[in-house]
Amino acid sequence: QATAAANAATVVVDFPNFFALNASVTLTVAELASVTGRTTPYPNVAGFQGGVATLGQVSCSGEFQRLEARATGVLSDGTSASGSDFYEHVAWTSSDPGVASFDSAPCAA
C-alpha cells in the first residue's frame, strides 16, 4: 500500500496472514532544479577564488595550465550537491576540443 502527496510518498510494507509485522516510511521526492559549473586550477592553488577564464602557457614549455571543471546541483527541496560524487557524473563538452577538452571525471592527483 502506498499513498502520495505532492512531493512525497508513504510506503507501507506488511505481511498479511504470515507475520504480524509491518513498517512504513515516507520518502521525499526531489528533482534536479538547476546545475551551475565553474572551473578551478589543477593542481589546486591554495586560496584561489573564482573561476579560471584564461589558461596561460607554463613558462616556455609549450604546455598550458590545466583546470578542473566542477558542478553544483540544486534539488527542488533546496538541498545541493557539489562534491566529486556529484560532479564526476556531469558530462562536460567543448565547442572546440582543439582548444579545450574534458574528461568527465576529476583529474587524479
Side-chain angles (χ1 to χ4, degrees), residues 39-85:
T39 54
T40 185
Y42 180 83
N44 190 28
V45 175
F48 179 82
Q49 298 287 326
V52 177
T54 304
L55 297 176
Q57 189 172 12
V58 179
S59 193
C60 59
S61 66
E63 295 293 320
F64 284 82
Q65 293 173 305
R66 295 184 179 190
L67 62 81
E68 183 175 69
R70 296 187 179 182
T72 299
V74 178
L75 302 178
S76 59
D77 66 357
T79 59
S80 65
S82 60
S84 63
D85 58 330

Side-chain angles (χ1 to χ4, degrees), residues 11-22:
V11 178
V12 178
V13 178
D14 59 15
F15 303 91
N17 303 321
F18 291 100
F19 302 104
L21 301 170
N22 62 47

Side-chain angles (χ1 to χ4, degrees), residues 23-35:
S24 66
V25 63
T26 300
L27 306 171
T28 301
V29 178
E31 297 177 319
L32 184 61
S34 67
V35 176

